[in-house]
Amino acid sequence: MGTRHERNEMSEKEFHYGLALLRIWMCFEVVCFHFFGADIVLNPITKMIKIWGSIAVPVFMIMSFAMTDIAEMAHSREKTKKRFCRLLVPHFFWTAVYYLIYLLLDKTKGLKLEHGFTDALWQLFFFHSINETLWFQFDLIVMTVLFLAVFRLNKRAALAVSLFLAYLAVALQYFGINGSLFRDVSWPKTICGTYFSKSYVIYPIGRFTEMVPYAVIGIFMGNYKIFNKLKDRKIETCIGSALAVLLVHKGNLFNTLDYTGWGCQGLYRVAMGFFTVMFFVGVPSAIIPNVAKKMIASVSKYTMAIYFMHRLIATILYKTSLASVLHMSEGSIYDCLIIFAISLAVALGAGRIPIKWVKMSMS
């Protein structure tokens, strides 16, 4: 998604419309990944949606670190403070919103969407309870802490350590260790007399290992200023990246992982995520009409908020009469468009509220 702080660092020199467009597309892919039906008839559009559905979050992780100078941040208390403020404020805000709205729906409709206040506490600690999508934020925060510590070393050593961690993470996937992490361990159903699901803990931890290679790719892209170095070779970058995507996907390269994982595992997704980002790095701004540029710049500001709230919006729609009023058909592309559009509308409206922590949670 890219936080506003990350986007501002890039926009000091030039707003990158290609990457902004990629954020919008990947955000919609996340909505489709959660609510697009598996039994829908495949055509070129639905095939594309299914291919990139599991690549969207890896793309966000690459972009998040590519747009952040982690080496500079590691030696700047002010930049570190801003980074964590941008990561934590929306997390606390949306945890409260999810809990209160789910509680209201439970009280009025008896839906049993949450299991008490402890669900909110698990959401706060591991980001994967009442809003399952927020495992990404957990992994992003933990990885930021990890790589800030690594880059307290000299830069050359830090880059070497980062590369080793990426290789280690991939090895854990291909040896099947990460996929079976805690999976066979017996977990209690209650802790201190309150409801507990092992997915609250093991899912974000399992996904963490899968996200490390994407973060390292982003770190290397940011360190070597890839965006700036390719700004005069955009067409070549687009063509080369498109051919690489076709080769990886059609040639079924790297797609030989025999072990199960947590959904973002394997070198196939690493390659597809990297070349997808590179393709949009190469999109020339000149080919985008000015009207489209304004729309892209406006909508891309709210991709983080859409990502945070789309499950909540979908729950409200499907659990009330609103779905029938809007003639929704669960599992359809139409439904995904409605969920995305309403999430965007809420973000646009709430973003006008003159309260700092609300604004930070919307853009």
Side-chain angles (χ1 to χ4, degrees), residues 18-44:
L19 293 178
L21 181 60
L22 178 59
R23 281 198 300 272
I24 296 169
W25 176 32
M26 290 298 106
C27 190
F28 181 65
E29 283 285 353
V30 170
V31 176
C32 291
F33 186 74
H34 292 142
F35 299 106
F36 182 50
D39 57 344
I40 299 298
V41 176
L42 292 180
N43 56 50

Side-chain angles (χ1 to χ4, degrees), residues 88-101:
L88 288 171
V89 168
H91 169 56
F92 284 103
F93 174 82
W94 286 111
T95 295
V97 169
Y98 267 77
Y99 177 72
L100 292 174
I101 292 180

Side-chain angles (χ1 to χ4, degrees), residues 67-199:
M67 295 178 182
T68 303
D69 190 335
I70 198 76
E72 182 181 347
M73 186 181 295
H75 300 282
S76 171
R77 182 175 297 181
E78 184 63 26
K79 286 181 179 289
T80 300
K81 181 180 176 181
K82 286 182 179 179
R83 170 77 167 183
F84 282 102
C85 185
R86 286 294 306 156
L87 292 174
L88 288 171
V89 168
H91 169 56
F92 284 103
F93 174 82
W94 286 111
T95 295
V97 169
Y98 267 77
Y99 177 72
L100 292 174
I101 292 180
Y102 279 9
L103 183 64
L104 178 63
L105 289 172
D106 285 352
K107 294 292 185 183
T108 57
K109 292 185 172 293
L111 298 179
K112 297 181 180 179
L113 295 171
E114 45 80 34
H115 303 88
F117 186 66
T118 51
D119 266 7
L121 293 178
W122 284 114
Q123 182 71 34
L124 287 173
F125 292 135
F126 289 100
F127 302 53
H128 189 70
S129 172
I130 47 180
N131 184 6
E132 297 176 353
T133 310
L134 263 294
W135 64 265
F136 174 84
Q137 199 79 348
F138 173 85
D139 288 355
L140 182 56
I141 290 171
V142 174
M143 253 182 290
T144 299
V145 173
L146 171 65
F147 287 112
L148 282 176
V150 169
F151 275 85
R152 294 288 291 181
L153 308 169
N154 71 73
K155 185 181 286 190
R156 180 174 296 181
L159 290 171
V161 171
S162 299
L163 197 59
F164 169 76
L165 290 175
Y167 281 125
L168 178 62
V170 171
L172 290 174
Q173 295 172 43
Y174 277 84
F175 282 115
I177 297 173
N178 188 56
S180 61
L181 189 67
F182 304 133
R183 209 181 286 272
D184 298 326
V185 178
S186 178
W187 292 72
K189 292 187 180 297
T190 61
I191 291 182
C192 298
T194 60
Y195 176 82
F196 172 75
S197 169
K198 70 176 184 179
S199 68

